[in-house]
Amino acid sequence: MISLNEQAYIHLKNLITNQKLSYNKIYSETKLARELGISRTPFRDAIHRLVQEGYIDIIPSKGFQLHQLTKKDVIETFQVRSALEGYCTVEIARNASTAKAKRLLAELDQLLQSMEKIMNTTHSIEEFSEYDFKFHRKIVDYIGNEQFTNIFGTYMHRMKRLAALSLAHKGRMENTYKEHQAILNAMQAGDVEHVYEITLMHMNTPRGINLEDL
């Protein structure tokens, strides 16, 4: 059975991700907790969890509101991603000849094919982003480090919002696909010397776009 804390977290997160809440509006913890039919304690725990994940900000003595992205958010997010994924792609390239790495590389190739299809047909940012983040998540999960996986998951909401902003720019989807292909090619080739730089280039381009947008 799902705990009250988890119920509150899922309910509030769904309201946010399904765009049922508005930016610049302050929401009452008490009112939303009453609507869900639970006490304020588990609801407050859910709120603090969502604050840590970058979904909302607490407004003292008033409630909470949706978090507006800042330049600091952009910089920190890409620093975290660069550190995590840079390390992971190097490790994958170093072990490219192993059965485990080959299975991963085959899965990543399939994801790229799905991204290419979307890019050449619907051009849906939402659909493309889903495969995009599956690509990156599989790279991080390959290492088997639970802390890496947890950190990546914590930043997921922020990363998806930033990706949606950058992919809205003309030509960015096509360039994103090419950058993914370059990362995959380097890992497949066991190119330990260059894969880290290629990965960082993939991070730095959308980082610049996001900073300009903000």
Side-chain angles (χ1 to χ4, degrees):
M1 184 176 179
I2 301 177
S3 67
L4 290 176
N5 291 36
E6 191 67 17
Q7 287 181 44
Y9 171 79
I10 292 172
H11 176 73
L12 188 50
K13 184 177 179 179
N14 284 339
L15 288 177
I16 298 169
T17 56
N18 292 326
Q19 300 180 0
K20 300 296 184 181
L21 302 182
S22 303
Y23 286 91
N24 299 319
K25 181 177 178 180
I26 298 176
Y27 292 91
S28 165
E29 295 178 25
T30 304
K31 182 179 178 181
L32 287 175
R34 189 184 304 118
E35 289 176 1
L36 186 56
I38 63 173
S39 65
R40 287 185 62 189
T41 300
F43 198 83
R44 190 176 297 114
D45 289 340
I47 285 176
H48 284 288
R49 184 174 168 186
L50 289 165
V51 168
Q52 292 178 337
E53 294 178 4
Y55 285 86
I56 61 178
D57 294 320
I58 293 175
I59 310 299
S61 303
K62 293 183 180 180
F64 69 90
Q65 64 182 165
L66 299 185
H67 178 71
Q68 296 277 14
L69 289 171
T70 66
K71 290 187 175 182
K72 183 173 181 287
D73 291 331
V74 175
I75 293 170
E76 289 182 351
T77 299
F78 282 103
Q79 285 175 339
V80 169
R81 290 193 65 185
S82 297
L84 287 179
E85 297 187 50
Y87 173 83
C88 293
T89 54
V90 168
E91 286 299 300
I92 294 166
R94 183 175 285 121
N95 295 282
S97 61
T98 66
K100 179 183 177 182
K102 286 180 178 178
R103 285 195 299 272
L104 170 70
L105 295 170
E107 291 174 358
L108 296 179
D109 185 61
Q110 288 295 317
L111 290 173
L112 273 181
Q113 290 180 38
S114 297
M115 281 187 265
E116 183 179 25
K117 182 178 180 180
I118 293 167
M119 181 179 71
N120 293 327
T121 54
T122 64
H123 218 265
S124 166
I125 291 176
E126 183 177 358
E127 292 177 14
F128 187 89
S129 292
E130 285 303 311
Y131 288 105
D132 179 358
F133 281 100
K134 285 181 182 179
F135 183 94
H136 288 285
R137 181 138 215 168
K138 281 185 176 293
I139 287 174
V140 173
D141 288 346
Y142 169 86
I143 301 299
N145 185 314
E146 187 176 340
Q147 294 303 315
F148 281 16
T149 299
N150 289 341
I151 293 170
F152 193 81
T154 298
Y155 280 82
M156 183 61 72
H157 176 63
R158 190 179 295 177
M159 289 189 293
K160 286 187 174 182
R161 288 182 63 194
L162 292 173
L165 290 172
S166 64
L167 288 170
H169 286 251
K170 184 177 180 181
R172 182 57 201 154
M173 186 177 291
E174 290 73 13
N175 288 334
T176 297
Y177 170 79
K178 292 176 183 177
E179 291 162 15
H180 280 122
Q181 188 67 66
I183 292 171
L184 179 58
N185 290 344
M187 291 190 296
Q188 288 174 327
D191 190 355
V192 176
E193 182 179 356
H194 297 107
V195 70
Y196 184 75
E197 181 181 353
I198 292 169
T199 304
L200 289 189
M201 286 178 62
H202 176 54
M203 299 297 162
N204 287 334
T205 302
R207 173 182 178 273
I209 293 172
N210 289 146
L211 287 172
E212 287 181 7
D213 284 344
L214 292 177

